[in-house]
Amino acid sequence: MSSTVLITIISLSTLGLLAAIVLFFVARKFKVYEDPRIDQVEEALPGANCGGCGFAGCRNFAEALVKAESFEGLNCPVGGSDTMKSAAEILGRVAPEVEPRVAVVRCNGTPEHSPRTNSYDGAPNCTIAHSVYGGETGCSYGCLGLGECVDACDFDAMYMDSVTELPVIIDDNCVACGACVRACPRDIIELRKKSKKERKIYVCCVNEDKGGPARKACKVACIGCGKCQQVCEFDAITIANNLAFIDSDKCKFCRKCEPVCPTGAILELNFPPRKPKEEKEAKVEA
Amino acid sequence: MNKLLKISPSPHVTGKETTGKLMFGVVIALLPALAATIWFFGWAALLVTAVSVVSCVIFEFLITKYILKKTPTINDGSAVVTGLLLAFCLPVNLPVWIIIIGALVAIGVAKMTFGGLGNNPFNPALVGRVFLFLSFPVQMTTWPVPRGFATGYADAETGATALSILNENYDKGNIDSLLNTPGSELPGYSQLFWGEMGGSLGEIAAFALILGLIYMLAKKIITWHIPVSILGTVAVFTALLWLANPSSNIDPLYHLMSGGLLLGAIFMATDYVTSPMSGRGMIVYGIGIGVITVLIRRFGAYPEGVQFAILIMNAFTPLINTYLKPVRFGEEVKHG
Amino acid sequence: MNQIKNFTKGFIKENPVFALFLGLCPTLGVTTSAINGIAMGLATTFVLLMSNIVVSLIKNFIPDKVRIPSFIVIIASFVTIVQLTMQAYVPSLFDALGLFIPLIVVNCVVLGRAEAFASKNSLWSSAVDGTGMGLGFTFALGLLGAVREILGSGSIFNYKFIEGDGMLIFILSPGAFLALGYLIVIVNKLGKKGS
Amino acid sequence: MVIALLTITLIASASLGAVYEVTKGPIAAAMLAKKNEAILFVIPEFNNSPTEDAYSIGTDGDSIFFYPGYNNGELVGTAVESFTNMGFSGKIKVMVGFLPDGSINNYRILEHAETPGLGTKMEPWFRDETGRRSVLGLNPGVNNITVSKDGGEVDAITAATISSRAFLDAIQRAYDNMRKGE
Amino acid sequence: MLKTFPKGGVHPPENKLSSVSPVEVLPTPQQVVIPVSQHIGAPASPVVKKGDMVKAGEVIATGQGFVSANIHSSVSGKVLKIDKMPDSTGYKQLSVIIDVEGDEWDPAIDRSETVVREISLSAEEIVKRCNAMGIVGMGGATFPSHVKLSVPPGKKCDILIINGVECEPYLTSDHRIMIERGEELLTGVTIIMKALGVERAIIGIENNKPDAIENLTSLAAAFSGISVQPLSVKYPQGGEKQLIRALIKREVPSGKLPIEVGTVVHNVGTAVAVYEAVQKNKPLIERVVTVTGKDLARPCNLLVRIGTPVADLINFAGGIPESTAKIVNGGPMMGKAISTPEVPVTKGTSGIILFTEEEAVRNPSGPCIRCGKCITACAMGLEPFLLMTLASRALTERMEKERIMDCMECGSCSYICPASRPLLDYIRLGKQLTGKVIRERSHK
Amino acid sequence: MEYIIIIIAAIFVNNIVLSKFLGICPFIGVSGKVETSLGMAGAVMFVMTIATLVTYLIQTYVLDALGIGFMQTITFILVIASLVQLVEIILKKVSPSLYAALGIFLPLITTNCAVLGVAILAVQQDMNLMQSVVFAIANSIGFGLALVLFAGLREHMDLADIPKSFRGVPIAFVVAGLLAMAFMGFAGIV
Ligand SMILES: Cc1cc2nc3c(=O)[nH]c(=O)nc-3n(C[C@H](O)[C@H](O)[C@H](O)COP(=O)(O)O)c2cc1C
Ligand SMILES: Cc1cc2nc3c(=O)[nH]c(=O)nc-3n(C[C@H](O)[C@H](O)[C@H](O)COP(=O)(O)O)c2cc1C
Ligand SMILES: Cc1cc2nc3c(=O)[nH]c(=O)nc-3n(C[C@H](O)[C@H](O)[C@H](O)COP(=O)(O)O)c2cc1C
Ligand SMILES: Cc1cc2nc3c(=O)[nH]c(=O)nc-3n(C[C@H](O)[C@H](O)[C@H](O)CO)c2cc1C
Ligand code: SF4
Ligand code: SF4
Ligand code: SF4
Ligand code: SF4
Ligand code: FES
């Protein structure tokens, strides 16, 4: 072995040794503990940082998960139960099963149903419009049609229909993150339980006015007459403030309520056609 | 009254100023300089200007429409201003294809990549110019001498600009003799003022640029802060150098009127989009440009430094905007 | 793991330069011509391949605590070997790449791969991964080099196809940044369309 | 753990040492070859070994090296490794060959950081016969080898006057020091 | 040089079409709709029922808590119903609807024309009386006046400022009051001075109302401690912080009230209302409203009962012109567009302006060109362009740091912006978001 | 004067990031916010100065003395790696907030070309001890300047309307290109 090789070996080893020793002592002196599971959980999350969980980004949520006593109320809507399961596995806990949900727009105030009374000329933003005036129609509860919900959706699951001037949800893309629900200043959008074959039945109105004014503002407004509540056998329908609401967790999709509504405020979608009353069906779908 | 009543948040009246009118005002302010350059360089100058303006507008149209898929924004006139100013800092004998590349870079790279009007951190026309300067140094530093009307400039006689002559001679210590020798290559003050000398299109005639400044100040298109702080800083800095060593430096007046300083200080440093927004910020920005300009002119490799100085201070603009806020109400006068 | 996918991922989807934004200094620094870019890429590939192999061979013997230092020593050794070899047998290339040869040591791609892949996978996978990533890196550098050479010098692989000079700026530093910025967008657009 | 690290270091350093041993020769040879090739290029044929007969003069914080070439004992030319700090981007190193009468036989740029496409034109420019570009055959002792802008006899590279000045400065420096050394 | 505030401001065309029209009395309407919330603070709670007969000046709803105000019937007649009715924004609000029968007033009210100069009430009694009479600020904010008349413990007020600026274009109601009711006004000022315990009051009036300046200056000689100060014309000089700065060179710090710098600001209309409440026992049941517009047949100033439909006012002034595209309640810079002329006049209605299509249309907004004109225009020294961007991205933390809550919503920024950006629209949104965050934090 | 030239050259003329292409990864990675970038600049300055000092000593008194110059790369990287780890451990304890801000980038300083590059450059340019240290400090200031300017520009762009496909890294490169272009103006100042 030549002397160069020898010198090389000796000097490098000494250097390595020295560095190792210094580091060893410093590391001892300045030790800080950070839960390694936070990293693991974060890796299991989708990383969309959408805030659907209610936390500021995925890492924040991971920290919350690690700290949480139970997973009650903690859910990543984007990743769904699979993600929660793997997070639970990492932390050795059981995750609650969450039922998949999908957003619906509870307003049917198309120009045809709800004639325009004013024209809005402010900044195209629903919250701004909502805070300065009641709306372009006589209904001060309905959709303002400026698409703030659409802008909020990170998953290309919404668009504004130019004819109805209402937002439309593309069920296949919707991950039920709830961003649109939070964005809408009028609480028009709701996350409802997903059902087989994308079936939906819900009151497509949020107007709390009494029957007369409500009807005057919009042909398909819910007038709070209570007929649907009477026919529902499952206690799924409640009426409050002149407005009916169908609880998607209780609804059994029996379709009894839809025909009794005098204004057509209840919508049913993706059901097979009814035999005798086809005429009405067509009207609602239009 | 059969229409629907309009509803909107206040205010319900608006001022008369629009983006388009402001840009048009800048174009008007540039007309004297355009006239001067046509006077000295003939139709070739108009050709360069036209090519630049038209290609800027066309590029903006094509990019907004086909690449960004937005509604084209050429009506606001900002592309016209960019085109004009780009042309104004090019030599008159520049081949057309190079001008077109410059326009593409100015609009495509410096402006539209950032989302168009209002979003670009760097001055588009200057980016276009510096890009060309660094890409085609030979073509960008051959300056035809003015021959008046009607002649082509493809094969014109070329000469050095005032600043490049100075740049060659600072270290030789013969500046004062150069200036005082009749018939020396170095242009005199009246040439600087009226514009009969080599240089890029828009920079030669000081009087035309000053007319533009007066117009823009009168029309409130710009405020005094930026031009005054730049010119003031250059004057002070060069005066100090000159007083310390008159044979290796030229006097402040000469500095002010030569090169692209006036064009830059009046029209390019004042670009709204890329300059600070508060008065205090503008002054800091102007001082920065002044100092860097003189440093580059006097000590750097390039005879002229305004273009770089403005771009460098453009980079500082966001920081200036963050740290030099307007004076808030309640900050200045405390309890009376 | 599918070895073919493992190999090809480095080209577009996980391209160290275009997708992961790693190893950017040599990417910008040496790509004044296609040849330089490719040479740098291949030198890096060699180091990547060898260090991946060695790391995956000895992964079980290295305690966790000294994992990173050990990797660095291994990588640095291979870099020095490349350095000495190039200096001896291709001195002109060595001069052209200059400082960036020793800097392969700190190329995040190399250490990143050793740490993220080789220390967890088999010899064969690691070798495939190293080669794939290395060639992906080479591809990126070659592409950027080619673009800059074509625009900046009007030539490709030293073959001049226009009279006179190109757009000088592309040989200079601003051109490097600009070209890379636009290349990333274009490559990512094409990549998305492809998959 | 220390043992593992130590083992790795040991193996690494040993193999490095070995590679170094192997490449030491070729590296030195490559460096010498480069120099010899440049010398061969700038002075007429010789049959001594100029690198062995080399001598140097220190100036401006660096050194200038002289490689005299003899053919059968007769001086046929001197290759001078000269430098200048006046380049556009710092130092430029050139090898320039003088015939015994002091006229420039040929030159080669060894090292520089000038801008490609501008300053890099030094290599072909100053032996190009167009106009007054070429410095070959000029004698710095007789001719004024500065750029024409400065009143000299050589045309500067278009848009690269700085590099041209620097190049000529290196040549002049080589000549002056060669005369001084004699 | 006339006094003014130093920073910011704009100068919109004044268009004071009705400044020479004396105040006319609008006949009582057939029905009035009186909302129970016409002021800042808690809504009042109705004390009448359907079918009750009321006289003009009778309390129909009582204020809830300190910052609130009583509501009085402005007419005599029968309560038709108490129901939710659309207010000027189109949202429904609890209102008392009264069918007018005759014009019978509460006997306690002194309806004579004679001006009573002698002040018999003590400071506390004045405050109590204002509270009982439902006096709120007439300058636009409708802040209950009794609150402003009671100086909080620990604070001291040394000077009263009376706001006769009326810097909004078109509006002339304060102008007419200063000309026609100078003596009542000055007596009102003296009453307020007594309530606050100050020796000095300054009335600030913009120089475009020389007749008002002249009238008050000559009358003020007979009142001790009151002076009139002409100001140069610049919007938003009527903003209280700007006015204080212009008149006495004090700057109210961010987030603080004028009392912090030893002053209180009241509008001239408020001073007259205080006079009437204190000396004549008359509640706030009518007010002067300017009805104006370029195409309106007869721009005028009207004395109007609260609750009168806006349509009645317009009809009196010549009817809605065909060209009308927008109707604004208040001034063009700060007023609110109303969705239908059926809505009622309230205590805060200083003017009704009918805009033509040409004036009403907002130019399409373009990208911000960072011209800085909004910064120059903002009298609060804010950066509206930045606030708008931050608001549209809901960056509340940064908005708070950039002092969005200082914005007084004067609209100068939107007015001046060459790119027609809806700056104030977004700044309001930002203020809402930020205000919510701040409130939540202070609750914790 | 000599030191002034070194300083100006390193900060403006041959800016380590914009013209030498060293330390690009952290330049692109940690430049989102002005505050973080200031922290990063500080960390780099600290590490770079100490690293250059130590490596200079090792080069002169170990490698050159023993004639094993070829071991430069491996010894330098070892020294730098240990140093960074040292800084990391200490910072974690002393200023957790700064540590949190710099996050994963502290370890990245190890694999940061700037530190190793400057150490090697100082040796290559035959500088003496004092010159090397000044050189290191000047370069880290240059790094900091570029980083902070860049962070300011990126904060500005966060609020701008950048086309989707350019957001993030690509636009950062375009800005870096334009910044480098502006800095070309300093050519020849020293
Ligand atoms: C990007 C760029 C690189 C340059 N590189 C060099 C160079 O390497 N050498 C040089 O002498 N001049 C170079 N120059 C030109 C000088 O800045 C200067 O203009 C020139 O040397 C003197 O002008 P002249 O030769 O046209 O008289 C360069 C210019 C640019 C724009
Ligand atoms: C929440 C709030 C509290 C106030 N408290 C007081 C107060 O305690 N004393 C007072 O004199 N004025 C008070 N004011 C009234 C303000 O000083 C001011 O006169 C009022 O907001 C109307 O002014 P503007 O029209 O300029 O907005 C208060 C206002 C608000 C909004
Ligand atoms: C932008 C702006 C402009 C204002 N202009 C006036 C005005 O011209 N006249 C006026 O009396 N009050 C104006 N005010 C309201 C005053 O700030 C303040 O609230 C009022 O003078 C207080 O008196 P009050 O409580 O008696 O209404 C304005 C407020 C703002 C925010
Ligand atoms: C006073 C003023 C100066 C301007 N200066 C320039 C300029 O120097 N360069 C340029 O490209 N555009 C200029 N413009 C046009 C416009 O602002 C510019 O294209 C924007 O930077 C594009 O976003 C100017 C506009 C104004 C109003
Ligand atoms: S539609 Fe609503 S809930 Fe569904 S993904 Fe979009 S934002 Fe989320
Ligand atoms: S649903 Fe809500 S957010 Fe969406 S457009 Fe309608 S009002 Fe706006
Ligand atoms: S509305 Fe607010 S931000 Fe705009 S100018 Fe007025 S105070 Fe300033
Ligand atoms: S006035 Fe309008 S365009 Fe000018 S800076 Fe303000 S928001 Fe931007
Ligand atoms: S490659 Fe240089 S810092 Fe990453």
Side-chain angles (χ1 to χ4, degrees), chain B residues 20-305:
Chain B
K21 280 188 196 160
L22 284 172
M23 296 296 166
F24 190 64
V26 181
V27 173
I28 302 240
L30 284 167
L31 289 182
L34 183 63
T37 199
I38 295 176
W39 176 264
F40 287 114
F41 290 118
W43 298 117
L46 196 59
L47 178 76
V48 171
T49 313
V51 169
S52 168
V53 170
V54 169
S55 28
C56 278
V57 172
I58 291 181
F59 280 130
E60 173 144 337
F61 178 80
L62 295 178
I63 293 174
T64 37
K65 178 136 194 207
Y66 296 105
I67 299 186
L68 299 181
K69 309 215 160 64
K70 294 203 271 191
T71 39
T73 49
I74 49 175
N75 290 337
D76 61 33
S78 64
V80 175
V81 176
T82 301
L84 265 177
L85 284 167
L86 174 63
F88 275 23
C89 46
L90 301 176
V92 68
N93 59 342
L94 204 63
V96 165
W97 61 273
I98 293 191
I99 303 174
I100 294 177
I101 291 181
L104 177 60
V105 171
I107 296 293
V109 175
K111 186 173 176 190
M112 299 326 286
T113 305
F114 294 91
L117 179 65
N119 294 305
N120 47 312
F122 293 96
N123 188 321
L126 276 180
V127 168
R129 190 215 133 91
V130 173
F131 185 94
L132 294 183
F133 179 68
L134 297 179
S135 293
F136 309 100
V138 179
Q139 292 91 327
M140 288 291 289
T141 50
T142 40
W143 307 104
V145 290
R147 287 197 308 207
F149 244 62
T151 26
Y153 273 84
D155 52 353
E157 181 194 346
T158 61
T161 64
L163 286 176
S164 60
I165 297 169
L166 290 173
N167 198 42
E168 298 280 339
N169 289 295
Y170 287 132
D171 293 332
K172 293 186 189 152
N174 59 347
I175 302 290
D176 38 2
S177 64
L178 259 182
L179 190 58
N180 297 324
T181 323
S184 88
E185 240 192 308
L186 199 64
Y189 294 102
S190 80
Q191 272 167 297
L192 291 179
F193 189 71
W194 297 112
E196 192 185 356
M197 56 174 185
S200 44
L201 285 188
E203 72 183 21
I204 50 172
F207 83 94
L209 296 169
I210 293 172
L211 279 184
L213 173 65
I214 294 170
Y215 177 81
M216 290 207 294
L217 285 176
K219 283 272 169 186
K220 297 209 169 113
I221 295 172
I222 58 170
T223 56
W224 57 270
H225 303 79
I226 294 176
V228 169
S229 57
I230 295 178
L231 299 176
T233 309
V234 170
V236 170
F237 195 174
T238 52
L240 290 178
L241 290 172
W242 182 58
L243 291 175
N245 188 355
S247 57
S248 292
N249 289 288
I250 192 109
D251 60 283
L253 186 64
Y254 204 95
H255 264 292
L256 290 184
M257 293 207 297
S258 55
L261 186 61
L262 284 175
L263 182 68
I266 297 170
F267 291 99
M268 311 187 87
T270 51
D271 174 19
Y272 297 145
V273 179
T274 55
S275 63
M277 307 190 62
S278 70
R280 289 195 275 183
M282 288 180 184
I283 289 174
V284 170
Y285 168 82
I287 293 176
I289 292 177
V291 169
I292 299 174
T293 303
V294 178
L295 278 181
I296 295 178
R297 277 190 175 184
R298 181 58 190 81
F299 304 105
Y302 306 122
E304 175 60 301

Side-chain angles (χ1 to χ4, degrees), chain A residues 120 123-133 143-151 160 183-186, chain E residues 91 426 429:
Chain A
Y120 176 67
N125 173 295
C126 298
T127 313
I128 291 176
H130 171 74
S131 66
V132 293
Y133 83 123
C143 176
L144 294 155
L146 297 167
E148 205 170 332
C149 47
V150 176
D151 292 340
M160 286 306 292
C184 178
R186 298 204 143 165
Chain E
Y91 285 113
Y426 278 92
L429 172 67

